[in-house]
Amino acid sequence: MNAETVSKPVIVGVDGSEYSSAALRYAGTLAARLGARLEVITCIGMPDYLVVAHLESGEHPLTARLEETAARLVEDALGRAFTGDRPQNIDVTVKFGPPGKVLVEESRRAQLLVVGRHGEGGFLGTSMGSVSKACAAHSVCPVLLVGQEADDVP
């Protein structure tokens, strides 16, 4: 592992679900082992933001409320993921845009991207959701997909 890789963060996509709490646990452990900063990114998708974007110019109260709600969901996920102490080097960012596209773009500066593996499961269902599929197919860095049933990292 070279100095450039070590300076790159471990990025984890969080949507507030149990899947993202499991992904957070894995990402936190791996970031600590790699000596890397942990970056938590949550996205406000375009359908959520589209209406707000067409309102009066400037900062709109709805934009702030969307960001506050997204930040609260991340805090809830962090609370579920880390019942004890949270990792030391952790940053939380709320971004606007489609989650798959945003996370793939962010993967350009990461040494590892961690996302929860949503999906319907079962015989006819899928084992991954659209965001985890996009990340697995298009990310520049390695991707770790974590299921809700995931145990702690050994």
Side-chain angles (χ1 to χ4, degrees):
M1 191 176 305
N2 61 34
E4 181 183 327
T5 303
V6 172
S7 67
K8 291 183 173 184
V10 170
I11 295 179
V12 57
V14 173
D15 65 2
S17 68
E18 288 297 327
Y19 288 94
S20 62
S21 292
L24 268 169
R25 277 191 299 278
Y26 263 76
T29 300
L30 293 172
R33 288 184 183 174
L34 294 168
R37 192 174 76 257
L38 176 63
E39 286 193 27
V40 179
I41 296 178
T42 190
C43 300
I44 297 173
M46 294 316 287
D48 302 325
Y49 186 63
L50 190 58
V51 173
V52 175
H54 292 287
L55 297 174
E56 301 170 11
S57 62
E59 216 27 59
H60 194 278
L62 288 177
T63 302
R65 294 212 39 213
L66 285 171
E67 287 180 287
E68 288 169 9
T69 301
R72 182 179 45 78
L73 290 173
V74 169
E75 278 302 312
D76 292 347
L78 284 165
R80 287 190 306 271
F82 305 111
T83 54
D85 293 333
R86 290 184 184 177
Q88 294 294 321
N89 295 327
I90 186 169
D91 297 314
V92 176
T93 305
V94 176
K95 297 202 173 253
F96 287 88
K101 184 176 181 180
V102 169
L103 292 172
V104 166
E105 184 61 33
E106 292 295 324
S107 76
R108 296 182 185 284
R109 58 183 191 79
Q111 64 176 298
L112 178 66
L113 176 61
V114 182
V115 291
R117 180 193 48 80
H118 282 280
E120 299 303 319
F123 180 68
L124 296 176
T126 61
S127 61
M128 293 190 298
S130 60
V131 173
S132 53
K133 282 181 186 176
C135 291
H138 302 290
S139 290
V140 175
C141 67
V143 177
L144 175 62
L145 302 178
V146 180
Q148 183 176 5
E149 68 283 353
D151 294 327
D152 290 334
V153 178

